[in-house]
């Protein structure tokens, strides 16, 4: 739909410029053929690009490997969104948490260790991103975690657990 909108606006602007310049020697049929071909070729190119990227991701390439720190409702919501939109290309290596047993799983994603293991996990894995999904009661650990992440050079994303906030 956006491709059609963009091409329609573009052809309208072109017609307006032709009108203002009083240029009447342009074939409107050729312009409409250009309009239709441009939309068609752009759609084909995007479909082929999506198919190519999808096949590359199925082979394990072009993915962002992430670790979640803290098991909370925010972590569950984040995993749900990742599973809902696989085209984003995220692969969850695991979850680090101090309060949940290591054999716990949520939608196939396993607790792989304690928060104190973060340096070893970063060293052992080629991580692209660390997502901090701590519950409110664990925010005192945040400064140490962010310091370790900054030192390692891994991009850090913070997802607050809004579900545990009690309205006043």
């Amino acid at each position: 739909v956006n491709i059609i909108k963009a091409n329609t606006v573009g052809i309208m602007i072109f017609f307006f410029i032709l009108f203002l310049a009083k240029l009447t020697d342009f074939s409107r049929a050729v312009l409409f053929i250009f309009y239709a071909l441009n939309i068609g070729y752009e759609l084909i190119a995007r479909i082929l690009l999506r198919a190519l990227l999808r096949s590359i991701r199925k082979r394990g390439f072009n993915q962002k490997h992430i670790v979640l720190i803290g098991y909370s409702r925010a972590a569950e919501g984040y995993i749900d969104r990742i599973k809902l939109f696989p085209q984003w290309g995220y692969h969850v290596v695991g979850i680090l948490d101090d309060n949940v047993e290591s054999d716990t799983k949520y939608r196939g994603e396993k607790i792989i260790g304690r928060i104190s293991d973060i340096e070893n996990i970063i060293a052992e894995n080629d991580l692209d991103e660390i997502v901090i999904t701590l519950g409110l009661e664990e925010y005192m650990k945040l400064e140490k975690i962010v310091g370790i992440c900054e030192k390692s050079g891994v991009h850090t994303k913070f997802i607050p657990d809004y579900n545990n906030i009690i309205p006043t």
Side-chain angles (χ1 to χ4, degrees):
V1 174
N2 287 334
I3 292 171
I4 294 171
K5 282 182 196 177
N7 281 290
T8 302
V9 169
I11 201 89
M12 290 174 74
I13 290 171
F14 189 70
F15 277 139
F16 184 69
I17 291 170
L18 290 176
F19 175 75
L20 287 179
K22 296 182 182 178
L23 298 172
T24 58
D25 294 336
F26 280 92
S27 170
R28 286 177 181 80
V30 171
L31 291 176
F32 282 116
I33 290 170
F34 171 77
Y35 170 77
L37 288 176
N38 195 33
I39 290 172
Y41 288 143
E42 196 167 345
L43 286 172
I44 290 169
R46 286 186 181 224
I47 290 169
L48 290 175
L49 183 63
R50 272 195 187 146
L52 175 68
L53 288 174
R54 190 171 289 139
S55 70
I56 289 171
R57 285 203 175 120
K58 281 183 182 176
R59 287 187 257 141
F61 298 109
N62 196 25
Q63 292 188 352
K64 290 183 182 177
H65 300 282
I66 63 171
V67 166
L68 277 68
I69 298 180
Y71 183 80
S72 63
R73 289 181 192 240
E76 290 176 354
Y78 196 75
I79 292 170
D80 289 340
R81 285 189 300 278
I82 288 173
K83 298 290 184 183
L84 190 60
F85 299 103
Q87 65 268 25
W88 290 350
Y90 284 105
H91 172 256
V92 178
V93 174
I95 305 168
L96 300 176
D97 193 88
D98 292 337
N99 302 321
V100 181
E101 295 179 27
S102 61
D103 60 347
T104 304
K105 285 186 177 181
Y106 179 75
R107 297 196 66 195
E109 306 306 335
K110 187 178 177 187
I111 305 290
I112 58 172
R114 301 265 179 234
I115 294 175
S116 58
D117 300 334
I118 187 170
E119 290 180 89
N120 296 333
I121 298 295
I122 291 172
E124 293 170 2
N125 297 289
D126 185 25
L127 297 177
D128 297 303
E129 203 168 277
I130 293 176
V131 180
I132 300 173
T133 56
L134 292 171
L136 287 175
E137 64 280 354
E138 295 185 294
Y139 275 20
M140 63 264 186
K141 300 175 185 177
L142 193 60
E143 185 176 350
K144 181 181 177 187
I145 293 168
V146 171
I148 292 170
C149 293
E150 285 180 355
K151 186 174 87 174
S152 68
V154 178
H155 180 261
T156 306
K157 186 185 293 184
F158 180 71
I159 309 293
D161 188 6
Y162 291 119
N163 295 323
N164 287 336
I165 296 175
I166 300 169
T168 54

